[in-house]
Amino acid sequence: ARAKALTKQTVEGWPVHSFVTLLANLGTIASNTMRVPNPPEAPTFTVITTPTPFQTEVLKRVGVDLLRSRRQNKMA
């Protein structure tokens, strides 16, 4: 615990976060609905921003798969 407090890093080298700062970091992942301009009636598609290695590790540890989550929400 002291080493974490001094280095502000976990033993794996990840930055130490509070819950609030962790959520702020994860909140930078965005889901954008896109459409090509021509023709105007073209279907939309979704682009999810690429998570950083840190965000990928956090999502893995909590069992979240962004692509699977997106597909499940689309089917609902």
Side-chain angles (χ1 to χ4, degrees), residues 40-74:
E41 65 277 358
T44 61
F45 58 97
T46 302
V47 176
I48 299 173
T49 56
T50 304
T52 66
F54 174 73
Q55 291 167 332
T56 301
E57 180 65 20
V58 170
L59 294 171
K60 182 178 104 184
R61 288 185 185 202
V62 297
V64 173
D65 179 342
L66 291 179
L67 295 177
R68 184 178 50 188
S69 298
R70 174 71 185 138
R71 285 190 298 265
Q72 288 174 346
N73 288 339
K74 197 173 186 178

Side-chain angles (χ1 to χ4, degrees), residues 17-51:
H17 281 276
S18 69
F19 185 69
V20 172
T21 62
L22 179 60
L23 289 180
N25 184 300
L26 293 173
T28 63
I29 301 170
S31 175
N32 299 299
T33 302
M34 312 292 275
R35 177 181 308 203
V36 291
N38 290 314
E41 65 277 358
T44 61
F45 58 97
T46 302
V47 176
I48 299 173
T49 56
T50 304

